[in-house]
Amino acid sequence: MKVTHKSQLDKDIAKVLISEEELDSTVTRLAEEISRDYEDKNLLLLCILKGSIVFCGDLMKKLTVPCEIDCMKVSSYGKSTVSGGRINIILDLQRTDLSERDILVVEDIIDSGRTLSYLTEYLSLNGARSVKSVTLLDKPSRREVDFVPDYRGLEIPDEFVVGYGLDYAEGYRTLPYVGVLKPEVYTK
Ligand code: IMP
Ligand code: MG
């Protein structure tokens, strides 16, 4: 059998944590909740690059309310090991209509909570009409700052996961499921 790039990636996965089917039903449920709540709003889906690309793409296809999309890119430093880790904005919004927009920040995973708590405050301070957040995955046991997302897909244990947009060293984003990496991959 031909060894494909995908099957090479599969070899580094210790276990599949969330299957394609479970991802699909989770995103369907979130899209229903969001569509119900945003019927009378002016929704702007804000995809946080790069990890949320796949989730955001699947989510927007299932929404039944009108929306616009936009992207921001952030990076966090000193995360989890150093307290006071700060967030850097690498790509900012270039819009003048935030006062008319109900922003829904779309995040792949919440870990310490720093990224989303910083971003939601930043967007509110910049005049957005409303700011809420949806995360596909949540690791509540890792929280360093109090942050509760408005919509949450699945709670997962404290394990490093990849796939469905999530990466390790920029790899594994293209896997269609969410899996736990084999420990030897980190130490290679
Ligand atoms: P927070 O600011 O600590 O909540 O970090 C959230 C960001 O950390 C996410 O957007 C991801 O980019 C990254 N991250 C946290 N946990 C994981 C993981 O298990 N796999 C891949 N990326 C992760
Ligand atoms: Mg991310």
Side-chain angles (χ1 to χ4, degrees):
M1 207 181 76
K2 191 165 166 269
V3 180
T4 64
H5 174 62
K6 278 277 163 57
S7 60
Q8 292 285 2
L9 296 182
D10 285 332
K11 285 202 190 70
D12 291 341
I13 303 299
K15 66 169 183 235
V16 175
L17 198 63
I18 310 164
S19 67
E20 287 187 67
E21 292 73 23
E22 196 179 354
L23 285 167
D24 187 66
S25 59
T26 303
V27 178
T28 300
R29 170 177 58 81
L30 291 170
E32 283 168 3
E33 291 173 20
I34 294 162
S35 297
R36 190 190 57 216
D37 294 350
Y38 279 83
E39 212 156 288
D40 303 319
K41 302 238 162 44
N42 196 5
L43 176 58
L44 176 67
L45 273 191
L46 181 55
C47 179
I48 305 306
L49 301 174
K50 302 173 207 169
S52 307
I53 283 184
V54 181
F55 171 44
C56 195
D58 281 350
L59 182 70
M60 71 175 86
K61 286 187 285 182
K62 292 175 189 279
L63 291 178
T64 56
V65 288
C67 76
E68 288 192 12
I69 59 165
D70 221 320
C71 298
M72 280 182 76
K73 189 172 180 194
V74 297
S75 72
S76 45
Y77 293 110
K79 191 168 64 179
S80 68
T81 45
V82 184
S83 67
R86 58 180 265 250
I87 310 298
N88 253 19
I89 294 179
I90 302 187
L91 176 72
D92 204 348
L93 284 177
Q94 310 287 332
R95 306 181 68 107
T96 52
D97 62 352
L98 288 188
S99 63
E100 296 150 34
R101 298 286 161 186
D102 298 299
I103 299 182
L104 183 63
V105 183
V106 182
E107 188 51 309
D108 49 358
I109 188 166
I110 307 183
D111 189 62
S112 71
R114 288 187 196 285
T115 305
L116 270 184
S117 75
Y118 176 84
L119 265 180
T120 49
E121 193 183 337
Y122 175 82
L123 293 163
S124 297
L125 288 172
N126 275 277
R129 184 161 76 181
S130 71
V131 183
K132 287 188 173 185
S133 59
V134 55
T135 189
L136 176 68
L137 306 175
D138 191 4
K139 291 183 195 171
S141 62
R142 301 261 308 168
R143 215 58 112 245
E144 289 170 23
V145 296
D146 257 340
F147 187 85
V148 181
D150 298 280
Y151 305 92
R152 179 163 69 168
L154 300 164
E155 205 173 284
I156 63 167
D158 180 12
E159 286 181 296
F160 194 80
V161 293
V162 294
Y164 199 70
L166 290 123
D167 75 306
Y168 169 66
E170 291 300 324
Y172 307 96
R173 292 192 198 274
T174 56
L175 286 174
Y177 56 82
V178 172
V180 179
L181 266 189
K182 286 181 181 164
E184 59 257 38
V185 176
Y186 301 95
T187 47
K188 250 195 306 220

